[in-house]
Amino acid sequence: MGSSKGSRRPRRAAALALAGAALLAPAPGGDVRAQTRERPPEATVPLPPARPDALKPGPPPAAPGAAAREAPLPPERPTERTPTPPADPAPAASGTAEGKPGAMPVPPPLPPERPPELAGEAALALKVAAPDDTACRVRLKRLGVAFEPLPAIVNGQCGTPLPLRLTELGDGVGLPQSATLTCGAAEALARWATEVQVAAERELKQPLKTIAIGTSYECRGQNHDREAKLSEHAFANGIDVMGFTFTGRGPVPVGPMPEGSAEGRFLDAVRARACGVFRTVLGPGSNAEHGNHLHLDERERSAGHRLCQ
Ligand SMILES: [Zn+2]
């Protein structure tokens, strides 16, 4: 320390003689003082940023001030640890574990709910529940189909909620016997009729006039067998076509035709076209019950399979 006092005196003398020496001498001392003076503000500056960093992770979980900074972290860990212990004992008591969680009880109740809906009066209610045919009926009108809605048909297991009575298809093709069909089957029939019209003009050089209908709605089993599964006729979802009439020539009934004849080609064409419109097409050659007509229906099958024979 004594050396420092001794050094100040010569520095003061030197300061009078040389300004540069005075500048050099106080410079280190001044730098130290300046640094010490400057350090406090610099030190205070970095400290605040360090606090906000600590506040950022802490505050979000815990709204309180500095006192709660360290508090929120410990409580979070215990909450994570607490759920795991109950999860381990849960398997031992499966009944209580399934009852407490919200997601677990959902799957078990579903299976029991489905059986009651598929059986008994609930199943009938689902069939009776009328689908929305609004869009379908708009399409029927665009296709030029003349139809009128009929009251729901309810006859034991047979029937349909929204039957339509068709009297004419598009392009002036008449249905002299009329037909009672669902809107979906009616639309398929109308679209098929346009294909029949094309085949008539191509193979027979005559415009199609009418389509002769045998059976549309009828409460019966397949192939008139009471023991068999219900026919799509029982749901107004199927139709039997007996033959066709034309403006300038005789009718063409469904049935065997001379090989290579125009009528044979016409029938083959309309039958093939039907397979692209209806889900089920049966006719001469399929079995004995379909030797004189085309059976067309819209039976839904798994994976969208069609029956075209
Ligand atoms: Zn039929």
Side-chain angles (χ1 to χ4, degrees):
M1 295 303 288
S3 61
S4 64
K5 291 179 181 178
S7 61
R8 289 177 182 175
R9 292 177 182 175
R11 284 178 184 175
R12 291 177 182 176
L16 296 175
L18 296 175
L23 292 174
L24 292 175
D31 291 341
V32 175
R33 293 176 183 175
Q35 289 175 357
T36 54
R37 291 176 183 175
E38 291 174 357
R39 284 178 183 175
E42 289 177 357
T44 52
V45 174
L47 287 177
R51 292 176 182 175
D53 293 339
L55 291 174
K56 289 177 182 178
R69 291 172 188 173
E70 296 178 353
L73 293 176
E76 290 177 356
R77 294 175 183 175
T79 51
E80 292 176 356
R81 292 175 182 176
T82 48
T84 51
D88 294 339
S94 60
T96 56
E98 291 177 358
K100 291 180 180 178
M104 291 300 294
V106 178
L110 289 178
E113 289 178 357
R114 292 175 183 175
E117 291 177 355
L118 294 177
E121 295 179 354
L124 294 178
L126 288 178
K127 290 182 180 178
V128 174
D132 186 2
D133 280 359
T134 304
C136 177
R137 295 186 184 190
V138 169
R139 292 194 296 271
L140 280 188
K141 290 180 179 178
R142 288 177 179 171
L143 288 168
V145 178
F147 66 92
E148 63 180 0
L150 295 175
I153 300 173
V154 180
N155 183 11
Q157 296 185 16
C158 302
T160 184
L162 295 172
L164 302 177
R165 179 174 176 271
L166 279 65
T167 55
E168 188 176 308
L169 301 176
D171 204 14
V173 175
L175 294 174
Q177 293 79 19
S178 79
T180 299
L181 294 172
T182 62
C183 192
E187 182 181 2
L189 182 65
R191 295 189 183 282
W192 177 64
T194 64
E195 308 269 11
V196 175
Q197 183 67 279
V198 172
E201 294 177 351
R202 183 179 66 234
E203 303 297 344
L204 303 176
K205 315 301 178 188
Q206 293 291 334
L208 179 67
K209 185 178 180 181
T210 68
I211 295 178
I213 300 301
T215 299
S216 51
Y217 169 75
E218 185 180 5
C219 187
R220 64 171 173 80
Q222 291 180 348
N223 300 327
H224 298 272
D225 184 354
R226 291 183 179 180
E227 302 298 328
K229 190 176 180 180
L230 279 176
S231 167
E232 287 301 296
H233 289 290
F235 308 111
N237 206 31
I239 191 167
D240 291 341
V241 173
M242 311 307 292
F244 309 87
T245 68
F246 307 87
T247 303
R249 60 153 292 156
V252 174
V254 175
M257 290 289 166
E259 189 174 353
S261 64
E263 290 79 4
R265 292 195 303 272
F266 167 75
L267 289 179
D268 289 344
V270 299
R271 185 171 177 173
R273 290 296 186 178
C275 289
V277 177
F278 289 92
R279 294 190 175 99
T280 305
V281 177
L282 300 173
S286 298
N287 53 43
E289 286 74 17
H290 296 89
N292 67 343
H293 67 274
L294 292 175
H295 169 89
L296 315 173
D297 74 49
E298 282 285 83
R299 178 187 292 273
E300 293 184 4
R301 294 183 176 83
S302 60
H305 286 305
R306 293 169 178 261
L307 179 61
C308 182
Q309 294 182 344

